[in-house]
Amino acid sequence: MVQDRDFVIELDGQPGSYRLHVSSPAGDDSVDLDFDPASLGVDLDALQVRVLASAASSRAVVPELERPLRKVGQALFAAVFQASSGALFLSSRNDVERAGGRLRIVLRLHPAELAVLPWELMLSDHYGGYLCRRSSMVRYVEAPEPLQPLTVAPPLRVLGMTALPAELAPLDAEAEQHRIRQLLAPPPLEARGLVKFDWVPG
């Protein structure tokens, strides 16, 4: 079974001296970034409104609403995917997809001023548009204190709901539910009644 592979983007440092570390199936790289978050002029509240509006609007209106999102996404892409890291990303994605897997982008963002930026908007027309539409994207957030294990009396009951906005194409919910079952409750655990699932229609 082919497994998904990770393309890890780690950013640390401070304003004026950020450092980018990339770890990928195609190799690793570290470079200094000449990047000023303030130059983006990102208004997070306004971007959120536009994202929600573009999802609910007709196709004719979406391009106009999307223009500021694309501008921010292109700037974020340009900041991270410079010559060397961009080549590693393309090579990793091609190799993983050729083997039947999928490349996952993992973001480790240490400076607070970088963590609040909407990296999920990263896009490049040359790389196929929004990166998150082809490669899943996750953020790793450092917890200030270790988490205490949660103790529950079995069975562990998991309630899941699938978001199915009428304006968007339907999701492959059954496949996602299967993956969740495999992760949280391998067949032996579920067979013994230690984990039970309930799914709510979106």
Side-chain angles (χ1 to χ4, degrees):
M1 178 179 177
V2 178
Q3 294 183 342
D4 293 348
R5 304 287 300 279
D6 288 345
F7 186 92
V8 181
I9 298 171
E10 185 170 5
L11 290 170
D12 55 26
Q14 56 190 355
S17 60
Y18 293 121
R19 185 78 175 167
L20 166 69
H21 308 277
V22 170
S23 177
S24 76
D28 303 336
D29 191 25
S30 294
V31 295
D32 293 321
L33 287 188
D34 182 16
F35 176 56
D36 179 13
S39 67
L40 295 177
V42 175
D43 183 339
L44 295 177
D45 291 334
L47 286 180
Q48 182 179 15
V49 169
R50 285 184 175 270
V51 169
L52 295 174
S54 64
S57 300
S58 66
R59 294 185 180 274
V61 180
V62 166
E64 182 62 30
L65 292 171
E66 190 184 359
R67 186 170 294 136
L69 307 180
R70 294 182 62 87
K71 182 178 179 182
V72 171
Q74 288 167 343
L76 291 173
F77 178 91
V80 171
F81 289 96
Q82 301 175 10
S84 57
S85 55
L88 286 176
F89 177 76
L90 270 184
S91 179
S92 297
R93 189 171 69 178
N94 291 340
D95 290 346
V96 171
E97 290 181 351
R98 191 178 300 117
R102 192 167 67 154
L103 189 67
R104 183 176 72 157
I105 301 172
V106 178
L107 301 172
R108 297 180 183 272
L109 310 168
H110 301 290
E113 68 275 9
L114 297 184
V116 299
L117 296 176
W119 295 95
E120 290 76 10
L121 292 177
M122 283 193 294
L123 90 147
S124 165
D125 292 332
H126 178 68
Y127 284 60
Y130 291 102
L131 300 189
C132 64
R133 299 189 67 177
R134 183 165 170 179
S135 300
S136 60
M137 190 176 297
V138 297
R139 290 179 181 240
Y140 274 38
V141 180
E142 291 186 354
E145 297 180 1
L147 298 177
Q148 296 299 320
L150 176 65
T151 303
V152 296
L156 173 65
R157 297 183 179 275
V158 179
L159 176 64
M161 182 177 73
T162 304
L164 296 173
E167 301 84 2
L168 302 179
L171 301 173
D172 187 0
E174 290 186 6
E176 292 300 324
Q177 291 173 6
H178 177 72
R179 289 194 190 98
I180 292 173
R181 284 182 181 273
Q182 293 296 316
L183 286 172
L184 299 182
L189 290 182
E190 192 169 9
R192 290 165 53 194
L194 297 179
V195 183
K196 293 187 176 179
F197 291 89
D198 288 304
W199 302 101
V200 179

